Amino acid sequence: MLVYQAFRFELCPNNLARSALSSHAGAALFAYNWGLAAVSDQIMAYESCRVLALRQGAGAVEAKNWARAVVGPLRCTLPALRREWDRAKHEVAPWWASNSKEAYSSGLDALARALKGFFASRSGERKARPVGFPHFKKKGSRRRFKVTTGSFGVVDGRHVRLPRIGVLRTNEPTAKLVRRLGDGTARVLSATVSGHAGRWYVSFCCEVQRPEPSLPAGPAVGVDLGAKRLAVLSDGEVVANPTYLSRYARRMARLQRQCSRRRGPANGTVPSGRWRRSKAKLARAHVKVANARSDGLHKLTTRLAKAHHTVVVEDLAVAGMTKSAKGSGNWRGKAGLNRAVLDASPAQLRRQLSYKCTWYGSKLVVADRWYPSSKTCSGCGLVKTKLALSERTFCCEHCGLVVDRDANAAANLAGLVKATTGTASGAGTSRGTASANAQGEEKFMPPGRCSSLNCEDSAGQPGQTATASAQAGVA
Ligand SMILES: [Zn+2]
C-alpha cells in the first residue's frame, strides 16, 4: 500500500544555523509579499484600464478585452511568478544570494496556491470552504519554508541535511525514517522547515510503502465524542478528556497579565526585551498544551484503528458548536463549553482516524451530523423529540432502559454499522439511495432512518483496492 506520510523531527541548531533558518523563512515571506504586491498592482492596472474604456463609451466585453490586451495575462501561477521574481530579484532583493532559491520559490508557491484558491472560490469551482483574496504576511507569522529540490534528506540517525544550510543535528533520533530509506520502502519528496515558539522542526514528506493490512479482529466500536469526556466507546470504555488547556490556564493567565504590564508592540512601538521574554514563555506554555493534546489523541486513535474492524464516529459540526458562544449573552457557560470542545479537538481525532484506519485495514464510518445518536434509545430504537444537554442519563419511557447518555449514543453509533451493512448486502440499491457528495465520499441513506453514512475508508487513494475488497468480503 502506497501512502504519503510525514516524518517530523525537532532540529537542534546552533546560533549560526538558527539565523540561517530564520533568514530562509524570512526570504520565503519576503517573496510571498513581493509577489502579492505585484499581482495586486496588476489587478489594479487592469481595473483602471477597464474603467477608462467604459468611460470612453466601450461595451463591457470590449472594455475587458482592451484592458487585458494592455495589462497582459495575470501572472499568478508559480512558473509565471518565478520568472517575474528572477527578473526583479537583483533590484528588490540584492541580498537574494544569501539564501537558497528554494526559500523564495516556496513563498511564491504558497502565494500561487492562495491565489488559485481565491479564483476557484470566486468562480464556484472550489469545493471546500470559500477563501478570500490573500493577505500580506506579517513578520510575526509562523515561519516556514519548503524544499523540493537540491541536496536534502536524512544523513544518519541523528542528522539531516538542508540545501545551503548544511547538516543539522536533530533533537530526536531519525532512525525510523533511516530504516525505511535503507530498505527502500520510503522516498523523500520534500522537506518543510518550520519555526514556532523558539524551536525549529523539519518535516519530510515521504512516499511510503506500507505492508498490506490485515483486518483487525476486534468488533465494531461506536465512539461518542464529547466535551466533558473526550470519548465514550460502545464497549463501555470511557476516555477522559485530559483538559490540557485548563491545567495550564492559571499559568497562561499569569503570563498574559505579565505581558500586558510590559511594553508590547502596540501602536507601532518597539516591544521591550522584557515583553519579548514573557511572550516567549507564554508561547511555550501554549506549545506544551498542544503537544500533550496531540500525544493523547494519537495514542487513542492508533489504539482504536488497530483494535477494531470498524470505527463509527459522529460528524460533529465543530464550527457550529463553538460559534454559538460568540456574541451570545451567556458567555461564561458557553465559552467554557467552547473551550472544552476545542480542547478535546474532535475534528483532529476524526482526521487521524481516517488515515490510520486505512493504514491498519479497519474501516471508518462517519454518521450523518443529523443522526440523533443521543436521542435514540439503544434498547428499542425509540427516538425522543427532546433531550436537554443537562440530562446526563438516558431514561427510555418505552422499554425502561436507564443508561449513561454518552454510552447510549456510542451504542447507537455501533448499532448503525450493523444496520447498514445488513441493508447494503441484503436489499441492494432499491431500498436505499446512494449518492456521491462533493468530496467524492460515498453517502449512504438507509430507508426509514434519518441518517446517512459517509464511508471514508479508501475513497480515491492510491493502492487501496485490496483493502476495499477485503472489507467488502467481511460486509
Ligand atoms: Zn427504549
Side-chain angles (χ1 to χ4, degrees):
M1 178 176 30
L2 206 60
V3 294
Y4 291 108
Q5 196 179 339
F7 293 84
R8 188 167 180 258
F9 308 107
E10 194 193 324
L11 296 172
C12 175
N14 57 18
N15 283 347
L16 207 65
R18 199 174 274 276
S19 56
L21 290 168
S22 222
S23 169
H24 277 71
L29 187 142
F30 181 88
Y32 178 97
N33 283 347
W34 172 85
L36 184 55
V39 170
S40 309
D41 283 351
Q42 218 195 341
I43 292 174
M44 301 257 264
Y46 170 84
E47 272 304 301
S48 48
C49 281
R50 197 177 64 85
V51 170
L52 195 72
L54 284 174
R55 282 214 189 116
Q56 297 193 344
V61 179
E62 212 182 335
K64 267 185 191 174
N65 289 340
W66 184 70
R68 196 163 294 150
V70 171
V71 180
L74 190 63
R75 291 178 285 275
C76 64
T77 58
L78 179 59
L81 282 167
R82 254 155 85 163
R83 260 197 311 278
E84 287 291 299
W85 167 255
D86 281 333
R87 212 171 294 151
K89 67 186 177 188
H90 303 282
E91 228 174 81
V92 295
W95 38 263
W96 64 268
S98 55
N99 299 309
S100 163
K101 69 176 170 43
E102 289 290 305
Y104 308 103
S105 189
S106 77
L108 296 175
D109 180 45
L111 175 65
R113 281 165 199 268
L115 287 168
K116 195 180 164 198
F118 165 70
F119 289 120
S121 24
R122 213 176 51 161
S123 64
E125 281 163 36
R126 194 178 146 90
K127 292 195 176 99
R129 183 177 54 87
V131 291
F133 194 73
H135 293 282
F136 285 104
K137 285 192 182 183
K138 284 181 199 143
K139 215 175 161 189
S141 310
R142 199 186 167 89
R143 291 171 295 171
R144 144 195 325 268
F145 66 94
K146 191 176 168 185
V147 180
T148 49
T149 60
S151 66
F152 68 94
V154 189
V155 179
D156 56 26
R158 213 60 205 235
H159 295 87
V160 297
R161 186 194 300 280
L162 291 169
R164 208 56 223 270
I165 296 165
V167 174
L168 292 173
R169 194 181 147 82
T170 54
N171 263 346
E172 44 200 332
T174 57
K176 222 175 175 179
L177 182 54
V178 170
R179 207 159 40 234
R180 280 197 173 277
L181 291 170
D183 62 15
T185 53
R187 198 163 63 89
V188 178
L189 302 173
S190 66
T192 304
V193 179
S194 58
H196 187 51
R199 299 206 177 173
W200 286 92
Y201 305 87
V202 62
S203 172
F204 292 105
C205 176
C206 300
E207 205 177 53
V208 176
Q209 187 71 43
R210 288 188 79 92
E212 287 304 329
S214 55
L215 201 67
V221 68
V223 184
D224 181 67
L225 302 174
K228 276 235 163 66
R229 292 171 292 185
L230 178 58
V232 176
L233 312 184
S234 60
D235 57 16
E237 195 192 322
V238 175
V239 183
N241 185 353
T243 58
Y244 297 111
L245 192 58
S246 65
R247 276 191 224 170
Y248 278 86
R250 276 186 61 195
R251 183 177 163 75
M252 283 180 180
R254 191 171 57 76
L255 288 168
Q256 196 80 65
R257 272 199 306 276
Q258 205 173 59
C259 284
S260 71
R261 279 196 303 266
R262 297 177 173 185
R263 198 186 69 202
N267 306 325
T269 54
V270 179
S272 69
R274 305 177 84 234
W275 180 86
R276 278 180 214 267
R277 282 201 292 280
S278 12
K279 198 71 181 168
K281 272 187 200 162
L282 182 63
R284 286 306 316 158
H286 275 286
V287 169
K288 275 208 164 135
V289 172
N291 289 348
R293 179 188 295 146
S294 151
D295 183 54
L297 273 180
H298 272 295
K299 280 173 182 160
L300 173 66
T301 49
T302 302
R303 193 156 60 87
L304 286 174
K306 270 188 173 171
H308 301 279
H309 69 69
T310 310
V311 184
V312 193
V313 291
E314 263 179 305
D315 184 7
L316 286 177
V318 179
M321 274 164 83
T322 52
K323 211 193 290 172
S324 61
K326 288 168 197 156
S328 80
N330 183 13
W331 64 271
R332 202 180 285 272
K334 282 208 171 158
L337 178 66
N338 257 353
R339 198 175 296 147
V341 169
L342 291 176
D343 196 20
S345 47
Q348 182 67 358
L349 188 127
R350 186 181 145 190
R351 189 190 72 80
Q352 289 178 7
L353 273 176
S354 78
Y355 72 79
K356 285 182 185 176
C357 282
T358 330
W359 286 3
Y360 301 120
S362 51
K363 184 176 170 186
L364 177 68
V365 175
V366 180
D368 189 82
R369 70 178 48 165
W370 307 119
Y371 173 66
S373 59
S374 297
K375 292 178 190 162
T376 310
C377 170
S378 57
C380 63
L382 186 87
V383 182
K384 284 192 181 190
T385 47
K386 258 188 184 170
L387 186 72
L389 200 57
S390 55
E391 283 178 53
R392 300 313 306 172
T393 316
F394 185 92
C395 308
C396 180
E397 295 94 11
H398 188 249
C399 68
L401 179 81
V402 178
V403 67
D404 177 76
R405 173 201 176 97
D406 298 330
N408 178 54
N412 279 326
L413 289 170
L416 205 56
V417 65
K418 281 167 208 147
T420 46
T421 46
T423 322
S425 60
T429 47
S430 57
R431 282 170 61 207
T433 46
S435 64
N437 67 5
Q439 278 85 37
E441 295 168 336
E442 199 188 318
K443 244 189 171 182
F444 186 78
M445 306 279 282
R449 246 190 156 143
C450 57
S451 70
S452 67
L453 296 177
N454 288 343
C455 295
E456 282 205 344
D457 51 343
S458 50
Q461 286 190 15
Q464 297 301 300
T465 40
T467 22
S469 61
Q471 280 153 6
V474 168

